Amino acid sequence: MEMAVLLGAGVATREAFAPTELLERTLGGHAIRLGTGDRFVTGHDPAQRFAVDAHYSKHLPDILVLPGGFGALEAAADTLLVDWIDRVIERGGAVLTVSTGSLPLCATGRMIGRSVAGHWLCETHMRALGSTLSPYPMETHGRIVTTSGTAAALGGASFLADLARWGPPAS
């Protein structure tokens, strides 16, 4: 099972690594760090510099973490990146978004008419993409989990780990 976290300039450090590390511990293995072009990415909160393992286009992970950060609007406007996120979902991959990381997911069109957890600053942008900002810290839509921040993302990561280990709940 391939797990990955997408790192872009201005990524929120805790949002990227807290849920990713929980997935690694729970499911075993190591999540690859995917980037959009730069070999190194500078994150914030706390400020750190990270090495990127590969360009995102080289992988279609089974679980993808989309953290928030200062580059979320730019990511949502990147049609190649948005199309790649859509391909990850199309082939059955699970996606966990954190905070403003919900914007690139909304840009795929898969969340039109749905309630999406995310940062309150994204509400106008989410509405423009056809989604509604959820009043709840976590929303699940099958294998897509959106969260409002790091604490909720830990619950979302646990949810996806359970799906990976045990499958969907019986109807």
Side-chain angles (χ1 to χ4, degrees), residues 22 53 75 106 119 153:
L22 190 147
D53 297 323
C106 289
H119 197 285

Side-chain angles (χ1 to χ4, degrees), residues 4-88:
V5 58
L6 184 67
L7 301 177
V11 67
T13 302
R14 288 183 184 99
E15 293 179 10
F17 296 113
T20 303
E21 289 168 359
L22 190 147
L23 286 166
E24 289 172 334
R25 282 192 314 272
T26 306
L27 297 175
H30 176 71
I32 54 175
R33 296 174 177 185
L34 300 178
T36 57
D38 295 329
R39 184 78 177 108
F40 292 93
V41 172
T42 301
H44 73 92
D45 189 30
Q48 283 185 268
R49 188 173 157 107
F50 310 103
V52 172
D53 297 323
H55 190 270
Y56 70 86
S57 64
K58 306 292 184 199
H59 295 268
L60 287 173
D62 299 299
I63 299 177
L64 173 63
V65 177
L66 294 174
F70 296 127
L73 279 175
E74 183 179 313
D78 183 335
T79 55
L80 293 175
L81 177 62
V82 169
D83 288 346
W84 174 78
I85 293 167
D86 194 52
R87 281 196 314 276
V88 168

Side-chain angles (χ1 to χ4, degrees), residues 84-104:
W84 174 78
I85 293 167
D86 194 52
R87 281 196 314 276
V88 168
I89 297 166
E90 183 66 31
R91 68 169 284 283
V95 174
L96 171 65
T97 69
V98 188
S99 184
T100 59
S102 296
L103 285 178

